[in-house]
Amino acid sequence: MRASRVVGAAVFMTLSYMKEPLAFVSDLIIPLVIFMVVQLGTGRGMESLLGILVAVAWSSGGFALARKMATYRVWRLMDMFVASPLKPIEFAVASALAHLVVIIAPATVVLAIMALTVGVGPASLPLIVISILLAWFAGTAFGLYVYGKLADPMRVSSVASLLNLLLILLPPVIYPVSILPPELQLVSALIPTVALKLVAQHLVGVPTEVPFLMPAAVTIAYAVLFTTLALRQRLTLE
């Protein structure tokens, strides 16, 4: 795998997002409304904002990546890349890196809101960035597996929407884990997105009743599992 080919393809793919730099605004409306309700109702806005960052990173690496790669197939753009010296694994990595760039704009908005409302010190920023990268990496491995598993690109969008509901909207990712009974808090930590959020809370210092080792172990397990599945899954190029 050559870095120059991967970077070049990633830059090319990023150009399509630059035509709509504010496309992410509509995706943030509902999460930010939930944040305002949480902040006014419970005062746990920091927990909600961390959940939004995890959701954005996971969704960009997972659902959006799977949809985009399916779109490339429909547009036959993937054929153009594969006909070039770019290898399938290089194409997948380039697509993932392009989606990492997409995270920057919404993450910047959420971090600005975090600084203005609940307060976040400069020392916390590197830990927040680490949390975002962890969520992006796990989501990317998951997204590549989902894309490779579904032979029909038309099914990717509908499956991604269902998984978004099951992994982002229903679990306590954007709303606080602490509103659940202690037993359900432990159970919810078994969901990959919730585990990533709890890891982010521990890194930044936001209180939670779930001990650090549990979400950390769950996060590592899912990251290894999804990465292994993604590497073993054949990326459909035909």
Side-chain angles (χ1 to χ4, degrees), residues 4 23 28 38 43-44 103 112 117 129 136 138-140 145-146 212 232:
S4 59
L28 284 181
V38 170
R44 296 181 177 271
I103 299 174
T117 55
V129 172
W136 168 80
T140 295
Y145 170 70
V146 169
F212 174 72
R232 294 179 59 183

Side-chain angles (χ1 to χ4, degrees), residues 52-206:
I52 293 175
L53 289 174
V54 167
V56 167
W58 174 278
S59 297
S60 180
F63 312 132
L65 175 60
R67 285 195 188 105
K68 198 66 174 180
M69 292 186 71
T71 302
Y72 287 154
R73 284 185 61 197
V74 174
W75 290 351
R76 313 301 294 180
L77 182 61
M78 185 180 288
D79 292 347
M80 180 190 75
F81 281 114
V82 175
S84 72
L86 198 70
K87 299 177 181 178
I89 185 63
E90 293 173 337
F91 174 81
V93 173
S95 300
L97 290 176
H99 279 78
L100 178 60
V101 175
V102 176
I103 299 174
I104 295 176
T108 301
V109 172
V110 175
L111 286 173
I113 295 174
M114 190 180 292
L116 293 173
T117 55
V118 298
V120 58
S124 299
L125 290 179
L127 299 175
I128 294 175
V129 172
I130 291 174
S131 302
I132 293 174
L133 292 176
L134 283 173
W136 168 80
F137 179 82
T140 295
F142 179 73
L144 290 175
Y145 170 70
V146 169
Y147 169 78
K149 191 69 175 175
L150 298 175
D152 184 2
M154 297 302 180
R155 295 174 54 200
V156 172
S157 182
S158 58
V159 171
S161 298
L162 176 61
L163 291 174
N164 181 66
L165 176 67
L166 295 176
L167 295 176
I168 298 294
L169 297 179
L170 292 182
V173 177
I174 300 176
Y175 63 90
V177 178
S178 54
I179 68 174
L180 300 177
E183 297 79 8
L184 289 181
Q185 291 184 33
L186 295 176
V187 173
S188 68
L190 298 175
I191 302 172
T193 46
V194 177
L196 285 162
K197 174 191 172 180
L198 290 171
V199 169
Q201 286 185 226
H202 280 285
L203 289 177
V204 179
V206 177

Side-chain angles (χ1 to χ4, degrees), residues 5-15 81 93-98 101:
R5 290 201 295 252
V6 172
V7 173
V11 171
F12 179 84
M13 295 175 191
T14 306
L15 295 177
F81 281 114
V93 173
S95 300
L97 290 176
V101 175

